[in-house]
Amino acid sequence: MFSRILHANDGSEHAFHALALAIAIAKQNDSVLHMISVEEIDYMPEFIEEVREETGTAARRFHTVLQRARAMAEASHVKLHTHVMAGHPVRDVVMLAADLKVELLIIGATGHSALYERMVGSRADRIMQLAQCPVLVVK
C-alpha cells in the first residue's frame, strides 16, 4: 500500500516509538523507509559561518540517534535511508516528503504543555497542515 515512507525523528522517545511503527509498516508493505532529523537553526543567523557551524553540529548531535535508528531497522531487516540537515524542522520535513514523493509521513507526538499548544501550536499540527501526503502521528 505504501511504497515510500518518511519518518521524522528528533531523538525523543516519542520519535523512537513512531520509528518502531514506521519500521513495522515498512516491513509489512515492503516499503522504502527514509528518516529525517533536522537541527533547528536561528531564523535569521547573522553570519554564514553560523549556518555552517549548525550544520556540523546537527551531524554530531544526531549521530547516536542515527545509530539507534539503524540498529532498530537492521533488527527488523528493513533498509533505512537517513537524512540529517540543519534548518527549520517543519519546512524541511514537508519539503523532503514532497521531494521523495512519499506516500506516508510518520511523526511522533510532542509533549508540550496545553498552554504552549494553544498559543503556538505543535510542530506535528503544522506538519499535518502542510504535508501533501497522509501523516500518521504516533503517541
Side-chain angles (χ1 to χ4, degrees), residues 6 36 85 89-101 131:
L6 175 62
I36 181 173
M85 56 188 63
V90 172
R91 181 197 65 210
D92 292 339
V93 168
V94 170
M95 285 178 58
L96 184 61
D99 290 347
L100 294 174
K101 296 178 175 64

Side-chain angles (χ1 to χ4, degrees), residues 18-47:
L19 176 60
L21 184 59
I23 290 169
I25 293 171
K27 184 172 181 146
Q28 180 180 7
N29 292 283
D30 196 27
S31 307
V32 175
L33 179 60
H34 292 264
M35 184 182 88
I36 181 173
S37 295
V38 181
E39 175 72 24
E40 189 166 10
I41 60 173
D42 292 332
Y43 180 68
M44 295 290 289
E46 293 184 32
F47 304 103

